[in-house]
Amino acid sequence: MLAGLGRLIHRRRRSALVLILLMTVGAGAWGLGVFAKFSQGGFEDPKASSTLVAKLGAGYFGSTNPDVLVLYGSDTMTVDDPRYMGAVITTVARLPRDRVAEVISYWSFDAKDAAPFASRDRHKTFVSLKLEGKDDATKLASYEAIKERLEAPGLTVRLGGNIPLGVEFGEQVVADIVRAETITALPLLALLIILFGALVASLLPQVVALFSIVGGLAVLHAVTYLTDVTSFALEVVTMMGVGLAIDYSLFIVSRFREELARGMDAAGLPQGKPWKRVEDRERRAAEKRAYRKALDPVRQAALARTMSTAGRTIVVSGVTVSAALAGLLLFPQMFLRTIGLAGIATVMVAVFGATVLLPTLLALLGPKVEGGRMPWRRPDAKRARRDPDSGFWFRLGHSVMKHPVPYFAVVLIVLGVLFGPFLNVQFSSVDARVLPKDSPTRAVVETVKREFPNGSAEPIDVVISGDLIPRDWRPARQGDNIPPYLEDFRKKLAAAPGVTDAKFTGYSGTYGGVRISVTHEYEPMSSQAQDLVRDIRAMTLSKDGFPMHIDVGGSTAGQMDLMASLMRTLPLMAVTVGVATFVLLFMFFGSVVLPLKAIVMNVLSIGASFGAIVWGFQYGHLAGVLDFTPTGGVEATSMILILAVVFGLSMDYEVFLLSRIREEWDRTHDNRAAVAIGMQRTGSIITSAALLFLVVIGAFSMAGITVVKLIGVGMFVAVVVDALLVRSLLVPATMRFMGAANWWLPRPLAGLHARMDLRERDDLPGTPRPGAAPPHAPARPATVPHAPARAGTAPDALSRAGTAPDAQTRPATAPTGPPVPVGASAAPAPPAPFAIRWEQAPDEAPAPRPRYANGRGATSAERLVTGTERPEPARPFPPGAAPVLQDPRAARGAAVPSPPPPPGRPPTSEDASGPPAGTASGAPWAPWANGPPRPRPRRDVRIKREIVPTPDGSGWRWRDSGG
């Protein structure tokens, strides 16, 4: 299916690009509307008792957290000065009543109750405003209408509270994203140029990353119509979208360049622009048209094979990452659910960009993807001549497979040391300290806590509700008799250990409830405060034998309810994500052991990142480097988010590595060779992808919001551990221990896997797998010819040599073996390759028509790419030279054997006498004149067997076919 998508994109590449551009413009215009749709909070459990108390406070009793807190101050006047009072009262009295629902100030109470509203030095006071509006958007509009009218003459003013905090949070998110993209743009481009060795190729991943950012904004805007979305999701989604887009683009571009070079080499098409060497203008134009016409099927086949291999791996990887993020949808917290939804959609945007947008650009560029080639990328460079199967990663794989126990032990020790700090983890809640130190909103909160009486006290709110609560009682009104059972319960709360006061702070006859605020001497997140909440929740209250409802809220109770909710849902998330991942990897790898091993390896990476987070943020060792304020704990929902994201990213690299190892195992059935070759083919790409991802994450680790720093550091450590320790050392060591058991597939599951096989393949129709021997190859000729010229070798060099290039240029898949004497029995072998000889042609001679080895005209893209039918270029690329395919033995004067007859036809006199009359003496022997051999069919559950003639016409044989 993906190969067909690649061919379709190639045929419709221009129209596809226009549609993608229109879609990008529309998504960008739509996505900009997301900035006005963000909501605040989202860290609480909607069904928790503490959440109900908070909602009752906002709707009935009056919230203890004001919408806007206006902090006034003076260096010379105190709150007792009439001028001070006049300036504040006059200012708040002019506020429009359709925007402000309630104003509470120092002068709203008598002396005793007003004390908490004045600082200890009495030079500062704050005014609490409750804004009109039932949702954040309406309250935000009211805030924008009054914020310029809060200045009091002669006094300094600073704004805090929920609404200003949310506004500053959103502005900080946008500033972080802009700064991160600005910081990473040039380093990413430099790294991509080094990795790709070409300027054009290095620009493509950044184009896809930009597309992912635009698509991510559009996705977030769409999610806001389904549920509330916090602005914090914007940074996380952008971080993942850019990182994954660059990773996926790296794999697609690398594979396309590899397949295109292989196809052009097989089709005899030189790199660059050979028609420019022709002086005649008309012939140059003809050469250009002929070259592009011959290149078109090669480029299409290369794109199709890229999509069927790397594209398939990316799709599976994207689905696996999405499955991990889907675990966030199981949690009731809005913060996790919205990031889960937006994260899944963003991953799909990155996959779309890598499998649709990027192939469209590659189809348009073709060989121009090598534009701006660096010196180390040129064909004559030392790096280009290096044997691809004897590099660093190949040697490292063999070393690990040879000594698995030391590698295994050392890696486990390192991972254990990294995990150690997590054993002492303490969880905390999000407060104003997550903002930068110079934040004005944070400064207001810290000033109130530091300089005001009871500023640091966070009371426990107890709401008593029921039908027996009196409807006409007002505890704030003088002379009202407090119901005895309520007064007795208040005294019981005041007598609890550590409690300093308990008083009535709210009443609602409409709801039928009363609120008692309990202040205590403990830190909000301390164990003593949590024990006090448990003791209050264990209390009971009844009237006339009828029980009353008791709900407990406040910051301490909210944190306890949050942790209880996370712990209830976490096992369900682990089972769901684990099962989904196992099924996906089983479908992809065709093994029961590999998916289980991959899950265990990912858990090790997650444990290492969790330990680093506790060491850096809870202990505060990274506070100086990253410039944040330690809180003595880590935010719990952020750890759950890291769990899902890191699990998906680690599985991402696992799929890339094991897919190539599985491919080599299917080809060789040698466990050690499969691991070594798989590491060599993917090790540098995975390391490069991890390095690029680290650049993106590192920029977000410098964000202004501490929670974003925490997530960035956790992902950074996980990627480093995964790429350097787990994938490079631990995975090959464990695969060495298990040996052939890695690929164990019980017989009952074999039929199931045959129906859902998602393994990476590059065996398109008519394209044999590189290095695989065909099932019915003819006998090898008298001696093994030299290998064909490597891509990029100059044709005139071959003409001067008169022979095939040196054996050192033989590609990794070239057949090798000892010479076989004429007439001796030989094992089946691949067809012998041929060199290219350039012959001088008269200037007045017309340009020859394309001539192929089988005597037919143009062939399909698959036969061109595999070299089954080798065309001679339609025009002489050097001036006056016409390329002719020639057997290298003929260049040495050796006898050239006649080609065998096609399967199913007996030999004729023409076969014995050589090529037919009129054929050039340098025409090659065509070993597969009747088409390439077909690879062995994959067995299915339902098999039909039928008797068919043998290919050589000598008898009959059985053939299996799907039923």
Side-chain angles (χ1 to χ4, degrees):
M1 181 179 70
L2 290 176
L5 176 62
R7 288 189 286 267
L8 176 63
I9 290 174
H10 183 270
R11 291 194 300 269
R12 300 290 185 265
R13 51 189 179 273
R14 291 180 178 83
S15 57
L17 181 62
V18 172
L19 290 176
I20 292 175
L21 289 176
L22 292 176
M23 182 175 62
T24 304
V25 172
W30 164 259
L32 293 177
V34 71
F35 296 99
K37 296 294 186 68
F38 288 132
S39 302
Q40 301 179 30
F43 297 92
E44 68 280 349
D45 181 0
K47 298 181 180 179
S49 174
S50 58
T51 306
L52 175 62
V53 172
K55 291 181 178 179
L56 292 175
Y60 294 97
F61 305 129
S63 176
T64 56
N65 295 320
D67 294 329
V68 180
L69 190 148
V70 189
L71 181 64
Y72 292 104
S74 174
D75 295 332
T76 58
M77 296 183 293
T78 65
V79 294
D80 303 310
D81 193 317
R83 294 174 298 172
Y84 198 122
M85 180 183 67
V88 174
I89 295 298
T90 303
T91 299
V92 298
R94 291 187 296 108
L95 297 176
R97 293 191 177 185
D98 60 334
R99 298 293 187 178
V100 179
E102 183 182 52
V103 178
I104 302 176
S105 68
Y106 173 82
W107 298 276
S108 302
F109 305 94
D110 56 22
K112 181 180 179 181
D113 293 334
F117 285 81
S119 62
R120 293 184 180 91
D121 62 3
R122 307 189 68 78
H123 283 279
K124 297 183 181 69
T125 186
F126 63 83
V127 176
S128 175
L129 302 180
K130 182 179 180 181
L131 301 179
E132 289 287 354
K134 297 182 179 180
D135 53 25
D136 291 338
T138 308
K139 290 185 176 182
L140 179 60
S142 298
Y143 171 71
E144 294 294 337
I146 68 168
K147 68 177 183 179
E148 301 297 337
R149 305 176 65 174
L150 294 173
E151 295 287 341
L155 302 177
T156 61
V157 59
R158 287 185 291 179
L159 303 181
N162 290 336
I163 300 301
L165 180 64
V167 172
E168 184 178 352
F169 200 96
E171 293 174 350
Q172 185 65 50
V173 165
V174 176
D176 288 344
I177 293 175
V178 173
R179 182 172 61 249
E181 297 302 326
T182 303
I183 292 175
T184 58
L186 289 179
L188 280 177
L189 180 59
L191 284 174
L192 288 169
I193 291 176
I194 294 174
L195 296 174
F196 282 129
L199 181 61
V200 174
S202 63
L203 292 174
L204 295 179
Q206 295 203 349
V207 173
V208 179
L210 180 61
F211 173 82
S212 298
I213 294 176
V214 175
L217 291 177
V219 166
L220 274 180
H221 194 185
V223 172
T224 59
Y225 287 89
L226 301 176
T227 182
D228 293 334
V229 175
T230 174
S231 59
F232 180 76
L234 184 60
E235 279 197 270
V236 177
V237 166
T238 304
M239 184 192 314
M240 289 187 56
V242 173
L244 289 176
I246 293 178
D247 275 6
Y248 292 161
S249 300
L250 179 66
F251 283 88
I252 289 289
V253 174
S254 299
R255 191 60 182 255
F256 176 77
R257 296 168 80 190
E258 176 186 340
E259 297 295 343
L260 184 63
R262 183 185 304 168
M264 294 180 66
D265 182 31
L269 296 175
Q271 299 284 345
K273 300 178 180 180
W275 61 84
K276 287 191 174 182
R277 287 175 283 184
V278 180
E279 297 181 0
D280 183 72
R281 180 178 298 179
E282 294 183 359
R283 291 185 60 187
R284 186 188 306 127
E287 295 295 339
K288 184 177 181 180
R289 289 192 299 270
Y291 183 88
R292 290 184 173 179
K293 185 175 182 180
L295 177 65
D296 192 70
V298 175
R299 181 173 51 194
Q300 178 177 334
L303 191 61
R305 187 173 292 104
T306 299
M307 293 294 291
S308 69
T309 53
R312 184 189 299 266
T313 302
I314 285 172
V315 171
V316 173
S317 172
V319 174
T320 305
V321 176
S322 299
L325 292 173
L328 298 176
L329 303 180
L330 301 175
F331 291 90
Q333 286 76 18
M334 181 265 288
F335 170 77
L336 295 175
R337 293 171 64 89
T338 55
I339 290 185
L341 284 172
I344 293 172
T346 303
V347 172
M348 292 297 102
V349 170
V351 171
F352 179 86
T355 57
V356 178
L357 171 60
L358 187 57
T360 302
L361 298 176
L362 293 174
L364 290 169
L365 290 172
K368 293 180 182 178
V369 73
E370 301 287 354
R373 185 178 298 180
M374 299 294 112
W376 58 85
R377 177 69 183 172
R378 294 170 184 168
D380 56 349
K382 182 179 178 180
R383 181 177 177 182
R385 297 195 301 268
R386 191 179 302 162
D387 187 354
D389 287 336
S390 62
F392 168 78
W393 295 102
F394 185 86
R395 295 192 300 271
L396 178 62
H398 270 295
S399 176
V400 176
M401 301 288 278
K402 187 177 181 180
H403 308 287
V405 176
Y407 283 103
F408 185 82
V410 171
V411 172
L412 282 187
I413 291 174
V414 173
L415 293 179
V417 171
L418 292 174
F419 177 75
F422 185 68
L423 299 176
N424 299 320
V425 63
Q426 296 291 330
F427 295 105
S428 62
S429 58
V430 175
D431 55 30
R433 289 176 293 178
V434 302
L435 292 170
K437 295 179 180 179
D438 58 351
S439 164
T441 307
R442 173 180 172 177
V444 171
V445 175
E446 292 179 341
T447 300
V448 172
K449 287 187 175 183
R450 183 178 61 251
E451 301 183 15
F452 284 72
N454 301 326
S456 60
E458 297 187 21
I460 299 173
D461 293 329
V462 182
V463 174
I464 305 168
S465 59
D467 293 336
L468 299 181
I469 294 294
R471 300 290 177 177
D472 55 353
W473 172 66
R474 297 290 185 274
R477 186 172 17 175
Q478 293 290 338
D480 278 358
N481 294 322
I482 300 176
Y485 67 94
L486 292 177
E487 178 64 18
D488 292 341
F489 186 75
R490 186 196 66 80
K491 292 179 179 179
K492 186 177 179 180
L493 292 174
V499 174
T500 58
D501 191 15
K503 60 182 180 180
F504 295 102
T505 57
Y507 168 80
S508 173
T510 303
Y511 177 75
V514 61
R515 182 178 64 190
I516 302 175
S517 294
V518 180
T519 56
H520 54 84
E521 59 187 15
Y522 305 126
E523 288 294 326
M525 298 303 145
S526 64
S527 58
Q528 297 90 338
Q530 296 183 27
D531 291 337
L532 179 58
V533 170
R534 295 188 187 97
D535 293 340
I536 295 176
R537 285 179 169 174
M539 294 180 181
T540 59
L541 176 63
S542 61
K543 179 186 177 184
D544 300 331
F546 294 95
M548 310 288 287
H549 296 287
I550 299 178
D551 295 293
V552 181
S555 60
T556 305
Q559 181 66 20
M560 294 173 62
D561 291 340
L562 172 63
M563 292 305 305
S565 173
L566 295 179
M567 292 302 103
R568 285 195 307 268
T569 314
L570 187 59
L572 177 61
M573 172 195 176
V575 172
T576 304
V577 173
V579 171
T581 304
F582 178 86
V583 172
L584 286 171
L585 296 185
F586 166 76
M587 296 167 62
F588 194 59
F589 294 134
S591 169
V592 175
V593 177
L594 288 182
L596 295 177
K597 183 179 68 64
I599 293 174
V600 173
M601 296 299 167
N602 289 0
V603 171
L604 294 177
S605 299
I606 293 170
S609 66
F610 279 7
I613 289 172
V614 173
W615 179 85
F617 288 85
Q618 179 176 314
Y619 297 169
H621 293 296
L622 296 177
V625 178
L626 300 181
D627 190 25
F628 66 88
T629 302
T631 61
V634 292
E635 206 281 314
T637 54
S638 300
M639 301 295 283
I640 299 296
L641 176 61
I642 293 173
L643 173 65
V645 173
V646 168
F647 187 88
L649 291 177
S650 300
M651 195 61 69
D652 187 36
Y653 296 134
E654 183 86 12
V655 169
F656 288 139
L657 173 62
L658 292 183
S659 62
R660 201 60 181 259
I661 294 178
R662 176 76 211 202
E663 180 181 350
E664 295 300 326
W665 166 260
D666 290 338
R667 191 173 64 88
T668 64
H669 286 278
D670 184 339
N671 186 63
R672 296 185 64 175
V675 173
I677 296 176
M679 287 185 63
Q680 173 61 26
R681 298 292 175 84
T682 61
S684 60
I685 299 180
I686 290 178
T687 305
S688 301
L691 181 60
L692 294 169
F693 201 90
L694 290 178
V695 173
V696 177
I697 297 174
F700 281 94
S701 299
M702 307 302 294
I705 301 174
T706 304
V707 179
V708 179
K709 297 177 187 284
L710 185 147
I711 295 175
V713 170
M715 295 171 63
F716 189 97
V717 173
V719 171
V720 171
V721 169
D722 194 79
L724 297 184
L725 296 179
V726 176
R727 302 293 161 238
S728 302
L729 303 177
L730 199 58
V731 168
T734 54
M735 296 192 75
R736 175 68 177 87
F737 290 148
M738 291 184 288
N742 288 300
W743 321 102
W744 178 62
L745 183 63
R747 185 177 296 273
L749 296 178
L752 177 63
H753 178 261
R755 292 187 176 92
M756 56 177 59
D757 191 0
L758 293 178
R759 280 179 292 172
E760 180 176 320
R761 301 181 185 280
D762 60 357
D763 47 348
L764 297 177
T767 305
R769 187 185 300 275
H776 300 289
R780 192 187 296 265
T783 59
V784 178
H786 289 286
R790 180 172 48 84
T793 304
D796 53 351
L798 297 179
S799 176
R800 291 190 298 269
T803 60
D806 187 77
Q808 290 182 356
T809 62
R810 180 174 58 248
T813 57
T816 59
V820 181
V822 177
S825 176
F834 295 90
I836 300 177
R837 177 174 58 82
W838 295 82
E839 295 180 344
Q840 188 68 25
D843 293 339
E844 65 275 5
R849 296 180 59 189
R851 182 160 44 79
Y852 297 88
N854 62 353
R856 297 194 299 270
T859 59
S860 66
E862 289 81 4
R863 289 196 292 272
L864 279 172
V865 173
T866 58
T868 302
E869 302 179 42
R870 302 180 181 274
E872 296 179 8
R875 299 290 187 270
F877 295 117
V884 178
L885 291 173
Q886 182 185 30
D887 194 311
R889 290 164 295 174
R892 299 192 299 269
V896 180
S898 301
R905 181 177 66 79
T908 63
S909 58
E910 180 181 305
D911 299 323
S913 60
T919 302
S921 60
W925 169 54
W928 308 117
N930 202 34
R934 295 183 179 179
R936 180 178 299 175
R938 189 177 79 247
R939 286 189 173 274
D940 203 347
V941 181
R942 297 171 296 177
I943 299 296
K944 286 185 179 180
R945 297 179 64 86
E946 56 184 352
I947 299 176
V948 296
T950 57
D952 57 4
S954 60
W956 302 85
R957 66 180 178 88
W958 287 99
R959 183 178 70 181
D960 296 342
S961 61

